[in-house]
Amino acid sequence: MSRIFDRVTLAASLLAPHVALDWTRPRRRGATMISTARIGAVSDVVIQSVDPLEDAGDPCGGLSAWSRVQTGDFDPVPIRFWAYTRLTDAQAWAGLRQAVHHRLLVLAQAHVLLSRRPLDEVMSGLRLTDSDSARHSVSLLTGRDSVAGDLAGLIADLHRPPATGLDRTVRQS
């Protein structure tokens, strides 16, 4: 099991720079800035920064992210990064977005491996920004070329079992 988890985590790390969510422009409300992105038909993810107050020891300042359900009671892609960092600058926001993408890719792979249902049902908001680089990353992990043009296809290629000698014999006959 740990071998599968290692592969899923490595794949998420390699693919995360090549995926994006459409984040809303951060909007300010008092000492808080919020940006959201639609994960899919069921849930959103929220990033929120709270400006630190005058008291440096105040634990309320910082940057966090979480998912929230739009319909129903079950969150198929739970994201919880509470108190991710006390920094609230542009680099911290970019780092948290990248962490959210990584987490979603881990969850996307788990969804494909465990449920066998189409990925677009749950994560239609997660999209590839550079298909060629993402295919190259999958090829590095699998040793096989991938021709997939979308995230679901790449994940399927990533976790497709290698062909065995018996498989080749069956295909040739």
Side-chain angles (χ1 to χ4, degrees):
M1 184 65 140
S2 66
R3 197 169 176 201
I4 292 171
F5 185 69
D6 288 345
R7 184 181 181 99
V8 165
T9 304
L10 178 59
S13 296
L14 290 173
L15 291 174
H18 311 297
V19 300
L21 286 169
D22 292 327
W23 294 93
T24 62
R25 185 178 171 139
R27 64 185 188 280
R28 179 168 290 284
R29 184 173 292 152
T32 304
M33 288 197 51
I34 295 175
S35 180
T36 60
R38 175 71 74 170
I39 296 171
V42 179
S43 57
D44 293 345
V45 64
V46 177
I47 294 180
Q48 174 179 308
S49 69
V50 177
D51 294 338
L53 303 174
E54 290 82 29
D55 181 7
D58 188 350
C60 292
L63 193 59
S64 300
W66 64 92
S67 59
R68 63 183 179 193
V69 178
Q70 293 299 313
T71 59
D73 296 330
F74 174 71
D75 188 356
V77 286
I79 298 202
R80 304 289 184 268
F81 290 109
W82 300 113
Y84 176 75
T85 180
R86 290 187 57 78
L87 301 174
T88 59
D89 59 3
Q91 285 182 324
W93 277 76
L96 186 51
R97 279 191 209 102
Q98 194 71 8
V100 167
H101 295 170
H102 183 273
R103 173 76 173 152
L104 286 172
L105 285 166
V106 168
L107 292 169
Q109 291 175 80
H111 177 79
V112 168
L113 289 169
L114 298 174
S115 76
R116 304 287 184 208
R117 290 183 16 227
L119 189 59
D120 282 345
E121 288 180 7
V122 178
M123 294 191 195
S124 58
L126 197 60
R127 61 180 168 74
L128 286 176
T129 58
D130 187 348
S131 299
D132 291 336
S133 295
R135 278 192 295 273
H136 181 71
S137 295
V138 168
S139 296
L140 287 173
L141 283 170
T142 63
R144 300 181 305 263
D145 288 337
S146 175
V147 294
D150 63 355
L151 186 59
L154 284 172
I155 291 174
D157 284 353
L158 183 64
H159 295 289
R160 183 169 293 120
T164 63
L166 180 61
D167 292 340
R168 282 188 223 119
T169 305
V170 170
R171 282 189 215 140
Q172 290 174 357
S173 26

